[in-house]
Amino acid sequence: MDLQAKLSNKIGVIVDSLKLPLYEGLKKVKEIGADGVQIYAVNGSMAPENMSPIARKELRNFLDSIGLEISALCGDLGGHGFQDAVLNEEKVEKSKRILDLAVDLGTNIVTTHIGIIPENQNSKIYEAMQIACEELGVYAKSLDAFFAIETGPETASRLKQFLDSLSTNGVSVNFDPANMVMVTGDDPVAGVKLLQDYIVHTHVKDGVQLKAVDPKDVYGFLGYGGGVDHAKIAEMVSSGTYFREMPLGHGKVDFPNYFAALKEINYDGYLTIEREVNINPVKDIADAVMYIQQFIH
């Protein structure tokens, strides 16, 4: 990448990837040179129902005091995402509360998996996902916020077709190039250009596909497997049966051209490091920060 193509984006870290208590993790993120953090906000002390107004203010004040921002919250509810119409009322309501929490904490982005978008646009599952995401998109837009779907479970073209069917861009994209490389075999550079109008946040991780895999065996599908299970996915990326997550620069994501594509579309959001392999996450993430810094002014 030449000097003209270098990025000016901020670097984030999914603090949960460090496997440390929250406030200790936040301090570590600052120590290793990142600008912001993404935090899971589904269960435990960070769940919106457990975050009182005082707790929200305390967290914001602490982040301000050490000079960190929140790049996004992760609001991934697991299971089949929004494929099951019976469960969607409760899941949509919870997702709205996570959006409210995000705004209170100074970010306007919540990332998630919504379940694999079916090829058949006339199916009941497609309809259930569409209705849920339409409601969430309208609500996010009312907050000047975004509910961002993570790439990987389906091709970029199918994801764009789904997003184009919604009435707002309140549901947008959290672009993860490694998921595409490891699972669908999609090209991240082409995906960036295709989804450019929707990309509001990115994950930076690397990986390699070892054997073709049906995305349903990774992410589940209503009536087929148990749905998104992060412990199961972490085990899959470690075991290397189908794919393996790799340190940045050691997998099959073409980062020079990927970053050039982000610059080309004028993406100015966060590059947020995710590490799902937990052998030595603090070192891996510190190394990842240094790797990204070579592409930044």
Side-chain angles (χ1 to χ4, degrees), residues 32-46:
I32 62 181
D35 306 292
V37 290
Q38 182 175 7
I39 308 174
Y40 273 79
V42 175
N43 303 309
S45 62
M46 279 298 300

Side-chain angles (χ1 to χ4, degrees), residues 6-7 9-11 29-35 204 248 259 271 273 285-297:
K6 283 208 169 186
L7 304 166
N9 303 71
K10 293 177 178 178
I11 299 173
V29 168
K30 182 64 179 177
E31 184 184 308
I32 62 181
D35 306 292
V204 184
L248 293 194
F259 287 145
L271 306 171
I273 297 160
I285 290 167
D287 289 347
V289 169
M290 288 191 293
Y291 178 84
I292 297 171
Q293 284 171 339
Q294 71 182 305
F295 295 97
I296 291 179
H297 282 306

Side-chain angles (χ1 to χ4, degrees), residues 8 28 53 61 66 82 253 288 291:
S8 57
K28 182 60 69 175
N61 288 344
I66 62 172
F82 297 98
V253 177
Y291 178 84

Side-chain angles (χ1 to χ4, degrees), residues 153-170:
E154 61 282 305
T155 61
S157 58
R158 196 189 309 169
L159 177 55
K160 183 179 186 298
Q161 191 175 52
F162 179 81
L163 293 168
D164 286 345
S165 77
L166 305 176
S167 69
T168 79
N169 67 343

Side-chain angles (χ1 to χ4, degrees), residues 8-288:
S8 57
N9 303 71
K10 293 177 178 178
I11 299 173
V13 171
I14 297 183
V15 68
D16 307 77
S17 293
L18 292 166
K19 300 300 177 188
L20 295 170
L22 177 60
Y23 280 80
E24 191 179 328
L26 296 174
K27 287 187 266 191
K28 182 60 69 175
V29 168
K30 182 64 179 177
E31 184 184 308
I32 62 181
D35 306 292
V37 290
Q38 182 175 7
I39 308 174
Y40 273 79
V42 175
N43 303 309
S45 62
M46 279 298 300
E49 63 270 19
N50 296 329
M51 284 288 284
S52 68
I54 291 172
R56 295 175 191 213
K57 187 175 181 184
E58 284 176 350
L59 180 54
R60 280 200 73 161
N61 288 344
F62 181 78
L63 289 163
D64 289 344
S65 75
I66 62 172
L68 282 181
E69 300 177 315
I70 296 183
S71 71
L73 294 184
C74 181
D76 188 347
L77 302 181
H80 296 105
F82 297 98
Q83 290 186 337
D84 190 341
V86 175
L87 301 177
N88 279 355
E89 183 177 353
E90 183 181 341
K91 286 190 161 188
V92 166
E93 191 60 32
K94 172 97 174 196
S95 298
K96 287 179 179 179
R97 301 293 74 80
I98 297 172
L99 280 160
D100 293 339
L101 175 63
V103 171
D104 284 350
L105 294 176
T107 183
N108 67 342
I109 298 169
V110 172
T111 73
T112 193
H113 284 276
I114 64 166
I116 299 172
I117 297 166
E119 289 182 52
N120 180 5
Q121 296 177 52
N122 296 314
S123 71
K124 290 291 186 186
I125 290 175
Y126 196 99
E127 181 185 31
M129 296 173 78
Q130 213 171 22
I131 291 169
C133 287
E134 176 66 22
E135 184 175 346
L136 281 168
V138 169
Y139 187 76
K141 200 73 176 169
S142 75
L143 301 175
D144 195 24
F146 298 97
F147 194 67
I149 300 169
E150 188 164 329
T151 55
E154 61 282 305
T155 61
S157 58
R158 196 189 309 169
L159 177 55
K160 183 179 186 298
Q161 191 175 52
F162 179 81
L163 293 168
D164 286 345
S165 77
L166 305 176
S167 69
T168 79
N169 67 343
V171 170
S172 282
V173 169
N174 173 47
F175 201 98
D176 188 317
N179 288 350
M180 301 174 88
V181 164
M182 292 190 295
V183 181
T184 60
D186 223 6
D187 175 11
V189 172
V192 165
K193 294 174 183 178
L194 190 64
L195 293 167
Q196 61 181 288
D197 293 336
Y198 293 108
I199 300 170
V200 295
H201 192 261
T202 67
H203 281 167
V204 184
K205 70 172 189 269
D206 205 351
V208 59
Q209 187 181 83
L210 303 171
K211 188 165 70 172
V213 60
D214 186 333
K216 292 178 183 176
D217 288 324
V218 181
Y219 298 107
F221 196 85
L222 191 62
Y224 181 108
V228 174
D229 178 334
H230 289 285
K232 174 187 149 192
I233 291 172
E235 184 182 330
M236 290 179 84
V237 299
S238 300
S239 67
T241 305
Y242 297 106
F243 47 78
R244 182 173 285 128
E245 187 186 317
M246 306 289 284
L248 293 194
H250 294 272
K252 291 296 185 182
V253 177
D254 180 354
F255 279 106
N257 283 319
Y258 170 66
F259 287 145
L262 290 176
K263 184 173 177 65
E264 186 182 322
I265 68 164
N266 298 312
Y267 172 72
D268 60 2
Y270 263 87
L271 306 171
T272 297
I273 297 160
E274 178 179 29
R275 186 67 168 143
E276 293 183 295
V277 177
N278 297 315
I279 298 166
N280 194 345
V282 174
K283 180 185 183 301
D284 288 348
I285 290 167
D287 289 347

